[in-house]
Amino acid sequence: MVEVLCHNSIKITEEIIIYIDPFKIDKEYHDADYIFFTHSHYDHFSPEDIGKVKKESTVFIVTEDIKEEAEKLFGKENVLAVVPNENYHVHGLNFKTTYAYNLSKTFHPKEKRWVGYIIQVNHKTYYIAGDTDNIEEIRNIECDEAFIPIGGTYTMDYQEAAELANTIKAKVVIPTHYGSIVGNKEDAIKFKELVKNKEVKILIK
């Protein structure tokens, strides 16, 4: 089961429980086996919200600029820092990092080495794009389900996101990064209308 709790806050529940960028968490869950962070902005790395989902054994996958703070908060032994375009195997979980950056905006520069993720769980592959534009490095992605930002301003807008969705090989596409800070459900509806030959699930209500 997959949920977009809000914005880019995603929960994947299979035989393990994974959160990506937990934000505006509504209650105490303390069920996360893994928590992935795409970058250090407050709406993606929120210690208050992390505290509501983490448990003693949680593994934290972070970008390099989060590493020091995460180690102080959660312990060095529980933190893995990653860079783009690498393969990782952590406690039985396989995943790959992808590039995530802006082309003509300054919010997410390439030199920050922020990331998206391709995560393999229970014979399914999930792609979480992170905060990115439609960049060349991600146009050959293959996955079962793709989470793509559509809100504009800081990421792709719904039209650019639809172009990416129509380029990658994904069975299901799920729009994210709208409805909280930028973008609205109307953007998701317009995005769905532009995506061809793929199932689109609108999970942010």
Side-chain angles (χ1 to χ4, degrees):
M1 182 177 72
V2 298
E3 302 167 79
V4 182
L5 305 176
C6 79
H7 200 51
N8 199 62
S9 181
I10 298 162
K11 183 177 183 180
I12 300 171
T13 304
E14 294 285 356
E15 70 254 21
I16 57 175
I17 294 177
I18 297 171
Y19 287 84
I20 299 95
D21 295 345
F23 181 58
K24 293 188 176 181
I25 300 299
D26 60 353
K27 61 182 179 181
E28 303 283 336
Y29 290 94
H30 302 294
D31 58 353
D33 294 301
Y34 298 84
I35 307 178
F36 287 78
F37 303 96
T38 59
H39 63 295
S40 58
H41 286 163
Y42 76 94
D43 51 330
H44 297 263
F45 182 75
S46 168
E48 176 185 355
D49 294 296
I50 297 164
K52 295 178 182 178
V53 301
K54 74 179 183 69
K55 57 185 181 181
E56 188 174 344
S57 60
T58 301
V59 177
F60 302 87
I61 293 92
V62 305
T63 49
E64 292 177 307
D65 56 338
I66 301 173
K67 180 175 183 286
E68 184 175 347
E69 183 178 358
E71 287 179 345
K72 288 179 181 178
L73 290 171
F74 314 122
K76 288 186 178 181
E77 67 279 7
N78 299 317
V79 175
L80 171 68
V82 299
V83 295
N85 199 35
E86 293 287 346
N87 291 289
Y88 295 90
H89 181 81
V90 183
H91 300 302
L93 182 68
N94 294 309
F95 65 93
K96 180 179 180 179
T97 51
T98 65
Y99 285 93
Y101 61 88
N102 293 139
L103 291 170
S104 58
K105 301 181 280 285
T106 59
F107 304 108
H108 306 90
K110 187 175 183 179
E111 56 267 26
K112 287 285 190 180
R113 303 214 292 179
W114 290 337
V115 300
Y117 293 100
I118 302 172
I119 305 170
Q120 296 178 350
V121 188
N122 197 22
H123 305 295
K124 292 188 73 173
T125 304
Y126 300 94
Y127 169 50
I128 297 91
D131 280 14
T132 188
D133 286 331
N134 184 355
I135 56 176
E136 183 177 356
E137 292 94 335
I138 60 176
R139 292 172 189 159
N140 62 349
I141 295 288
E142 296 184 22
C143 61
D144 293 297
E145 300 191 17
F147 297 81
I148 300 176
I150 68 164
T153 305
Y154 306 107
T155 69
M156 294 177 272
D157 61 23
Y158 72 87
Q159 292 172 306
E160 295 164 323
E163 290 176 7
L164 176 63
N166 288 330
T167 301
I168 64 174
K169 295 179 180 178
K171 297 174 184 176
V172 177
V173 181
I174 300 166
T176 65
H177 213 277
Y178 69 93
S180 179
I181 296 173
V182 292
N184 53 50
K185 189 173 180 180
E186 185 65 26
D187 293 323
I189 294 169
K190 291 177 181 177
F191 169 78
K192 184 174 183 177
E193 291 171 351
L194 293 175
V195 175
K196 308 300 181 186
N197 302 316
K198 293 178 176 71
E199 181 182 0
V200 177
K201 294 182 179 178
I202 299 175
L203 300 184
I204 298 176
K205 303 305 180 184

